[in-house]
Amino acid sequence: MATTPALLGALDDFTSRENWDKFFALRGGGDSFEWYAEWAQIKSPLRSLLLGAEGADILVPGCGSSVLSEELYDLGFRRITNIDFSRVIVADMLRRHARVRPEMRWRVMDMTKMQFPDGSFDFILDKGGLDALMEPEVGTELGMKYLNEAKRVLKSGGKFVCFTLAESHVLDLLLPEFRFGWDLSIQAIASERSSKSAFQTFMVVMVKGKMGVVHTIESRLDQNAKYCNMKQANAVIHALQNENRIRESHTSGVDVLFSLRDLQLGAIGNLKVIVPGRRRQLILGEQGSSLYCYKAVFMDAKNQTGVFAYHCGVFIVPKARAQEWLFASEEGQWVVVESAKAARLIMVFLDSRHASADMDVIKKDLSPLVKDLEPEYPEDTDPIPFMMASDGVKQRDILHEVTSEITGPMVVEDVVYENVDGDQSCLSEKMFRRLIFKRSSGLVQSEALLISDSPSETDNKSKNSSTASKKKNQKKGLSGSKNSLRIDHSYLGSSYHSSIICGLSLAASALTAAMSSGEKVSTTIVGLGAGSLPMFLRGCLPFLDIEVVELDPMMEEVAKKYFGLSMDEQLKVHLGDGIKFIEENAVADHGTLAHSVPNRRDSNAVRILIIDVDSSDLSSGLSCPHVSFVEDTFLMSAKKFLSAGGLLIINLVARSSAVREMVISRLKVVFEHLYSLQLEEDVNEVLFASPSERYLEINHLDEAAAKLKAMLKYPVDVESDIKNLQRLQ
């Protein structure tokens, strides 16, 4: 029976039981149907896989009316269990096979909620079942539930065989879910030219092995082979290459940053069991599962023979204390584990995004995340205790509160950090001015150092611009008039700003040439904030012509009144939409501008474009920048804006690894060169993209870093950051 438009219309939603019942009822009984991969195409690879396993227990989930089970039965595989949540099709298949294939079993069952004991089957044969659950509009929830059930009911050493079209959203779930403890291979199913499907079918085989072991994927795909859909096949090959790079990093011995899901999947072994001395770094939380994202360290006490106060505890470290030896070094962390008297300790590090959040909210957000990391202690039913180092703020003075129609509620405050354990090099008695965005759960958008405006202290102001410089400035108490204090524009309170400066090493030769010749380098910054970055750049690299584009007029007022922003010929602020500004000023062709940008002398000179804006819409999974700044249309405008060369710099904060990969993929399509600098102590990642290598220092980054450092009027720890710069394309 042919599949008519009316039949296909019944399947508006592939995850609906009612729709499938309607579909099979309309088709009528006694007829088989294959969505893709006919039996003749899969017979040979499947027989090779099942060779000698005629007595094996086989599960076919989402069986539908496929001939797969009956063909296998007739080949001698009798212990086959078929399940489908459609009563209509199960009743029909029973009528067709009960007499001629009496040993084969049929059950009405939801494959995301199987009713079989653990380890029931030697083989699971999925033919389109996962694909049906993974409609892009539905998301991954049903697919993940199904895969968890499949893993559960499969025996150790068993094989999960998945026939799939291997679309990107399916592979994005499938490959990471079988990363740890599974041996995975993939091959294409041969198809004839006359095949009714315009899509290539793939057979993915996953063998259940030892928890925690990572294998690279065995790809039996050939880029030179002729597939029925080459674009589809090349996308799969590219996805496998990316996944294998991740897997190789896990086997390289490098201290990998795991996700909570990685640990749940067995990346470091059984979480229910304490392994003395086990320590791993991880990220807790992601879009949709928590309010915040957290960097954490998971530690099982080295000595498990003592008496513990807790079988599992959480220790929260505020941002102000994250760089102390006790919390920043592995040796210090073990000291904390011992003093906490916990068999397992999860040390959670707060950053600028948590600075003004209520601690009860933080604990509530963390509780379900750390629950999954709790070891098995049947006799202990108490909730996991939270411990915390003091928040580091000794005094807080709110200077200004205002609500903007664009940015929402904002707070300007002066804070003094505590002196910790008598350490004279810490932040104590220095005053910092902070700008807080309340819409982002208390995000500290900017932090500036306040110093004395007296001549003697002005001459001796801090010269270290990195975050670590907080520890090196002379003490300044709260005594005296606030009017005698001013913003130190040689200080950068945000570590990602230091990374932005470091990344300019990529264009160091071009910048050196411009400085030597007296040329001005056009630098556009989208996003003003408190003005810390443009003010620093003006003083640090005086040959830059800086134009800042800011959407919110109130932001400019706050920056001028409270953070010392001042404009001149070298630094201008343009109020308006950053996306429209770049589009209107993009280079239409070599040497031609849609609208002239002030101070831009030569459209072929090196240019710098910095995107440093946060997003109020967290539904996209992006905290920075707004998703509009990583759309293809804007990226193409940015490429034209940079014309023959230069750097696009993006401050990226993605709460989802999938969203981060999406951003990276889009940038790779538009830009020839792409680099990343991941911050060690923060969630930010700074991306550097260029349309050509005309101005880039590609092969000698150490030399380039030295050139940049020689140009800087304020010292920046370029050497340390440049070591973390990774080439993505």
Side-chain angles (χ1 to χ4, degrees):
M1 178 178 176
T3 305
T4 66
L7 277 173
L8 291 176
L11 282 177
D12 181 54
D13 179 2
F14 283 91
T15 65
S16 167
R17 184 196 310 263
E18 291 74 18
N19 284 359
W20 279 107
D21 282 342
K22 183 179 178 182
F23 173 82
F24 289 122
L26 287 171
R27 280 188 56 83
D31 187 23
S32 62
F33 180 76
E34 311 294 336
W35 285 98
Y36 43 77
E38 303 287 338
W39 170 250
Q41 297 171 301
I42 65 174
K43 178 180 178 181
S44 178
L46 203 50
R47 285 192 69 178
S48 298
L49 195 67
L50 297 171
L51 187 64
E54 285 76 10
D57 291 301
I58 300 173
L59 173 67
V60 182
C63 59
S65 58
S66 171
V67 300
L68 172 63
S69 299
E70 64 186 76
E71 293 286 359
L72 285 175
Y73 189 95
D74 294 346
L75 288 175
F77 299 93
R78 302 302 172 86
R79 299 174 63 83
I80 301 175
T81 300
N82 303 275
I83 65 171
D84 201 295
F85 66 177
S86 171
R87 293 183 179 276
V88 174
I89 194 57
V90 171
D92 181 51
M93 296 299 273
L94 269 171
R95 283 192 297 269
R96 289 164 55 182
H97 300 292
R99 290 186 179 181
V100 293
R101 299 176 180 88
E103 295 176 59
M104 190 150 58
R105 294 186 295 172
W106 303 87
R107 295 185 62 177
V108 177
M109 189 182 298
D110 185 342
M111 62 195 206
T112 68
K113 302 173 185 176
M114 297 189 209
Q115 297 157 22
F116 304 114
D118 296 358
S120 295
F121 298 98
D122 300 288
F123 292 90
I124 298 176
L125 306 181
D126 175 312
K127 188 166 178 287
L130 177 62
D131 287 6
L133 293 175
M134 288 288 292
E135 288 191 272
E137 301 79 14
V138 176
T140 62
E141 182 179 359
L142 290 176
M144 187 173 290
K145 285 182 177 179
Y146 165 51
L147 294 182
N148 286 339
E149 283 292 272
K151 293 175 191 177
R152 182 184 65 80
V153 302
L154 192 66
K155 296 177 183 177
S156 180
K159 296 178 180 179
F160 179 20
V161 184
C162 183
F163 292 97
T164 172
L165 297 182
E167 294 176 278
S168 61
H169 65 281
V170 174
L171 291 183
D172 285 345
L173 175 68
L174 188 66
L175 299 183
E177 283 293 303
F178 290 88
R179 184 177 292 159
F180 305 103
W182 295 80
D183 202 348
L184 191 150
S185 63
I186 185 168
Q187 68 183 81
I189 298 300
S191 58
E192 300 177 3
R193 294 181 182 273
S194 59
S195 172
K196 65 182 180 182
S197 175
F199 297 99
Q200 178 70 53
T201 304
F202 298 87
M203 183 173 82
V204 185
V205 180
M206 292 145 284
V207 184
K208 190 174 184 177
K210 184 179 179 181
M211 185 180 289
V213 177
V214 180
H215 302 280
T216 54
I217 299 170
E218 180 187 355
S219 174
R220 300 173 187 172
L221 305 178
D222 184 355
Q223 280 183 303
N224 297 317
K226 298 296 182 185
Y227 300 101
C228 70
N229 188 317
M230 286 303 300
K231 182 179 180 181
Q232 180 193 7
N234 286 332
V236 173
I237 291 169
H238 180 69
L240 295 181
Q241 290 171 342
N242 286 340
E243 175 64 19
N244 272 336
R245 279 194 285 268
I246 294 173
R247 292 176 180 232
E248 287 163 5
S249 72
H250 283 287
T251 59
S252 65
V254 177
D255 195 359
V256 176
L257 190 64
F258 292 96
S259 69
L260 176 58
R261 185 60 184 162
D262 288 339
L263 268 60
Q264 291 169 336
L265 292 172
I268 63 172
N270 191 347
L271 295 177
K272 296 300 179 184
V273 177
I274 294 284
V275 179
R278 180 167 56 175
R279 176 186 175 275
R280 296 292 187 275
Q281 297 187 69
L282 70 151
I283 294 289
L284 291 173
E286 60 181 27
Q287 180 68 22
S289 69
S290 61
L291 291 174
Y292 297 104
C293 189
Y294 309 86
K295 280 199 172 183
V297 180
F298 169 105
M299 290 172 289
D300 285 345
K302 293 180 178 180
N303 183 3
Q304 293 286 331
T305 60
V307 177
F308 294 104
Y310 316 106
H311 70 278
C312 184
V314 178
F315 193 95
I316 298 175
V317 182
K319 179 188 175 185
R321 302 192 60 185
Q323 298 306 307
E324 294 177 29
W325 173 87
L326 192 63
F327 308 117
S329 69
E330 182 176 346
E331 185 180 358
Q333 289 168 2
W334 286 118
V335 172
V336 176
V337 173
E338 185 176 354
S339 63
K341 297 189 180 303
R344 173 173 294 167
L345 191 70
I346 297 117
M347 189 176 289
V348 177
F349 294 85
L350 304 185
D351 57 42
S352 58
R353 301 193 168 272
H354 316 111
S356 293
D358 184 87
M359 194 48 57
D360 288 337
V361 173
I362 293 285
K363 292 177 181 178
K364 185 177 180 180
D365 196 35
L366 278 169
S367 291
L369 303 176
V370 297
K371 186 68 178 175
D372 289 333
L373 301 177
E374 189 176 19
E376 195 166 45
Y377 274 76
E379 67 280 5
D380 191 347
T381 58
D382 292 336
I384 298 175
F386 283 84
M387 297 162 271
M388 183 177 178
S390 61
D391 67 3
V393 176
K394 181 168 77 172
Q395 186 167 338
R396 178 179 283 106
D397 183 10
I398 295 177
L399 305 181
H400 184 60
E401 293 186 81
V402 66
T403 298
S404 160
E405 291 183 4
I406 297 174
T407 307
M410 294 183 283
V411 175
V412 179
E413 64 179 16
D414 287 347
V415 299
V416 175
Y417 293 107
E418 290 180 342
N419 184 16
V420 182
D421 298 331
D423 182 359
Q424 299 303 309
S425 67
C426 70
L427 310 181
S428 68
E429 301 309 316
K430 301 178 187 67
M431 189 183 295
F432 295 89
R433 182 158 293 170
R434 310 198 302 189
L435 173 62
I436 295 170
F437 287 175
K438 287 194 169 183
R439 73 179 184 193
S440 300
S441 300
L443 164 69
V444 177
Q445 199 280 337
S446 297
E447 182 174 83
L449 177 66
L450 289 165
I451 59 173
S452 170
D453 204 20
S454 63
S456 60
E457 293 204 27
T458 300
D459 293 340
N460 294 299
K461 69 182 180 181
S462 165
K463 295 297 182 182
N464 192 322
S465 63
S466 69
T467 304
S469 68
K470 294 176 182 178
K471 300 181 178 181
K472 299 179 182 178
N473 290 296
Q474 294 182 352
K475 286 188 178 182
K476 173 63 186 170
L478 281 170
S479 59
S481 171
K482 285 279 186 73
N483 295 329
S484 66
L485 299 178
R486 64 175 177 82
I487 301 294
D488 180 0
H489 292 297
S490 71
Y491 168 86
L492 282 180
S494 297
S495 52
Y496 79 88
H497 281 166
S498 296
S499 298
I500 288 174
I501 306 300
C502 168
L504 296 179
S505 299
L506 289 165
S509 290
L511 294 175
T512 301
M515 182 182 71
S516 301
S517 65
E519 292 287 331
K520 293 293 185 180
V521 175
S522 173
T523 303
T524 304
I525 304 173
V526 180
L528 175 64
S532 300
L533 179 60
M535 290 294 289
F536 180 88
L537 286 172
R538 181 173 69 178
C540 190
L541 295 168
F543 57 90
L544 300 185
D545 262 340
I546 303 167
E547 179 142 19
V548 184
V549 186
E550 173 55 51
L551 183 62
D552 190 348
M554 192 168 289
M555 193 64 63
E556 181 186 16
E557 294 177 18
V558 169
K560 287 194 292 188
K561 184 173 182 179
Y562 294 99
F563 291 88
L565 173 68
S566 61
M567 281 84 80
D568 54 23
E569 287 301 311
Q570 188 191 347
L571 195 165
K572 294 181 171 59
V573 174
H574 173 87
L575 293 175
D577 186 311
I579 292 176
K580 290 182 179 178
F581 181 89
I582 298 303
E583 289 174 347
E584 292 172 359
N585 291 282
V587 177
D589 51 40
H590 294 292
T592 304
L593 293 175
H595 294 281
S596 176
V597 178
N599 303 324
R600 184 165 289 162
R601 299 179 181 179
D602 180 4
S603 63
N604 288 316
V606 62
R607 295 174 185 161
I608 299 166
L609 171 58
I610 301 171
I611 308 300
D612 186 18
V613 291
D614 79 323
S615 174
S616 59
D617 177 18
L618 299 182
S619 63
S620 66
L622 276 177
S623 298
C624 294
H626 189 278
V627 68
S628 301
F629 286 93
V630 292
E631 296 287 357
D632 295 337
T633 51
F634 175 77
L635 294 179
M636 289 302 299
S637 296
K639 182 179 180 179
K640 290 180 181 179
F641 186 84
L642 294 174
S643 184
L647 284 175
L648 167 65
I649 305 174
I650 298 177
N651 172 34
L652 178 69
V653 180
R655 301 185 66 206
S656 159
S657 58
V659 172
R660 186 236 180 216
E661 288 302 317
M662 174 270 292
V663 173
I664 298 297
S665 297
R666 289 180 180 176
L667 283 164
K668 284 182 176 180
V669 170
V670 177
F671 292 92
E672 185 177 341
H673 300 277
L674 183 62
Y675 291 80
S676 164
L677 208 163
Q678 179 71 57
L679 278 67
E680 293 182 358
E681 74 274 13
D682 222 331
V683 294
N684 301 66
E685 177 180 10
V686 183
L687 300 175
F688 304 88
S690 182
S692 75
E693 63 180 52
R694 178 177 177 186
Y695 297 113
L696 293 189
E697 302 271 354
I698 295 177
N699 299 318
H700 305 288
L701 281 176
D702 289 340
E703 295 177 14
K707 289 180 185 177
L708 176 68
K709 187 169 184 178
M711 285 184 277
L712 302 178
K713 300 300 182 183
Y714 307 142
V716 178
D717 191 5
V718 177
E719 296 92 337
S720 296
D721 272 353
I722 203 69
K723 294 175 183 176
N724 296 322
L725 189 69
Q726 294 184 332
R727 186 173 184 174
L728 302 181
Q729 174 161 292

